[in-house]
Amino acid sequence: MKRSLFILLSVLPCFAGTVSAQSIAKNYKADNNNNPISASVFCADPTSLEYNGRLYVYGSNDHQQFIKNNKKNGNGYGNIKSLVVFSTDDLVNWTFHGTIDVAKICSSWTGNPWYKGFMNSWAPSVTWRTTEDGTEEFFLYFANTSHGVGVLKASSPIGPWTSPLKESMINRDTPGVLPCTWIFDPGVVIDENGVGWISFGGGDPNEQGTDIQPNNARFAKLKPSMTALDGQPAKIPAPYHFEASELNIMDGKFVYTYCSNWADRDDADWNAYKNEKGLKFGKPDKCTMCYMVSDDPMNPDSWEYKGVCGKHPGMPSPNNHSRLQKFQGEYYYFYHWAPLMKSMLDEKAIDSSCDGYRSICVNKATVDEETPKINSVAQNLTGVTAIKNLNPYDLQQAETTANSGGVMYDDYKNIEKNTKINTLGNDASQNMYVQMKEGAWTMVRNVDFGEEGAQSFKFTAQGTGKLEIRLDKKTAEPAATIRFSSTTMEEHETNIDPAPFKGVHNVYFVFTAADKVQFDSWQFSTEQTTGIKNVVHTQSSDSKFFDLSGRRINNNASKGIVIEQSTDVNGKKQSRKVIR
């Protein structure tokens, strides 16, 4: 539905009543940084896949724990019962697809014995395949606490997801698993023959293990269904193994990554191991990401320790978890850190008791596939460089951001009120919108308007507000200002001056006034709109104005959102919100 009613467009200078720079919501991700990938969602334990030119990243939903804790205290992980989903095609602008409500999907799981029923969803691993009949299948594995591994299935990378089983896929009753201390943190891969493989396990040394060989890393073949083990798992003799397994295949070899433990490193133990294996590496630091390589993965003796691929990113991150992903021909290293939480703590934006709420980050990796060798990745908040510019002439979702202010996880909503999937996403991002409060903003990077420039702009929104489009800085003078009001989610379209909208810019959508505003999507055009006028509201001679509390105000006394009561040309009384 297209609407232009109550839209007022202005190009420089600013309107009176524009929110001051001090009133614009603060961002806790620095303006020039591309890490973390989300400025509004705490998330961790990344996994990923490439599909149809986009990279999809999944993670543990730390923000669910944050909300359950009333946005305070430490992250105990016990309330994490969903997973988050993001995607990108340029590595700097990320679309938040919402959450996968694993608790709801797995609500029918049998809980007898107790460890077979659903408990939590941590540390996912994802893969996909095309079957012989052309069907595309996506499999998402997760840690059901430390007592098992569950699996979900879908026909697209953003769902809807279902549970193909009535209980956890791997648990204490799975032959060959015990005495693994923690049965969790899956890593999955499909080889060139279409065979699925999975790694899992972790924790302190079991009764057969030592600090240097905890004896908890496992590797197993999957049946063609991808939902059951094909035989008993084998051991991976990973030195100082603790958690966070993931799998890759490079040049026909399996590459297993994992997080090392917190045990003290005894020189005698390491030297004995190093001499036995003929290694030249020094012992890994605590909580570092290490990797091993094998061309015969079910044979424990075939695994070769290759060193450290990523250090612990530093406190206040309580642990470490990474994913090595090849995308558009280059390798990228995803991991979690806690810079968003730290920035919010430093600015006293969250309770001082908050601890352990993590964020997913990404940096470029240097990989030699033939060896295979992974150089230790330099982790920083600068992040990666965009691999392409964003096209403003394609329809873009409001949930696509490089940065934001005044927007947090619970401000992303699902506009399908009666969805049977879940209440926040788990389907295409087109089902979602962003609730924008006064002063809230979103930003996208490297928007390429071209030499001709944009002539018109449309966006889908609901509510009453004033949207200022600012270029390159959130405090810049607006290149366009649009006032709008609609009671339902509608498309608003208007012409703009093309002069500012040429070349490549970072674009800020700043809502300097907002009452019940829900922002869904936006799109620029190189052509002016036709058949739709930009309606500039002129008040009726009998207009009366009231503030939002219903108190009468002088016609010239107030700026911002007010209620106007008037009589139309047909003599009918009208009442509506307007921006003055």
Side-chain angles (χ1 to χ4, degrees), residues 536-552:
V536 179
H537 173 64
T538 56
Q539 67 190 53
S540 171
S541 60
D542 71 340
S543 292
K544 299 176 182 178
F545 295 93
F546 303 83
D547 65 21
L548 296 181
S549 298
R551 293 173 295 188
R552 178 76 183 271

Side-chain angles (χ1 to χ4, degrees), residues 118 132 140 143 165 191 197 223-224 264 268 277 310 388 400 410 415 441 478 490 550 574:
F118 175 79
E132 291 183 358
L140 187 60
L165 305 176
D191 67 21
W197 303 88
K223 289 185 176 180
D264 291 334
K277 302 297 182 181
K388 61 182 291 190
T400 300
D410 38 345
I415 63 175
W441 55 273
E490 295 170 0
Q574 299 281 355

Side-chain angles (χ1 to χ4, degrees), residues 71 108 127 143 146 166 178 195 236 261 412 465 479 488 520 529 566:
K71 302 183 179 181
S108 63
T127 191
S146 61
K166 296 298 183 182
L178 294 180
V195 178
I236 303 177
N261 59 24
Y412 292 90
T488 59
D520 183 47
T529 64
S566 61

Side-chain angles (χ1 to χ4, degrees), residues 5 18 28 56 116 125 128 132 156 177 188 212 222 303 342 392 401 437 439 458 516 527 533 565 575:
L5 294 178
T18 295
Y28 300 99
Y56 292 82
K116 291 187 176 182
S125 185
W128 71 283
E132 291 183 358
S156 91
V177 167
V188 65
I212 192 171
L222 291 169
W303 287 98
K342 184 179 186 303
T401 65
K437 305 176 182 68
K458 66 180 178 181
K516 298 180 180 178
E527 298 179 355
K533 297 180 180 179
Q565 290 185 355
S575 180

Side-chain angles (χ1 to χ4, degrees), residues 287-344:
C287 203
T288 54
M289 296 304 303
C290 305
Y291 72 109
M292 302 186 78
V293 173
S294 171
D295 55 8
D296 185 16
M298 294 300 291
N299 175 9
D301 293 333
S302 71
W303 287 98
E304 179 184 356
Y305 177 77
K306 300 286 285 185
V308 172
C309 56
K311 298 179 179 179
H312 184 276
M315 298 305 290
S317 183
N319 44 35
N320 205 353
H321 196 119
S322 71
R323 162 66 175 167
L324 188 66
Q325 173 68 51
K326 191 174 185 180
F327 178 58
Q328 302 293 307
E330 299 288 342
Y331 276 97
Y332 298 90
Y333 180 85
F334 288 86
Y335 58 101
H336 66 229
W337 197 359
L340 185 62
M341 183 195 71
K342 184 179 186 303
S343 178
M344 296 178 77

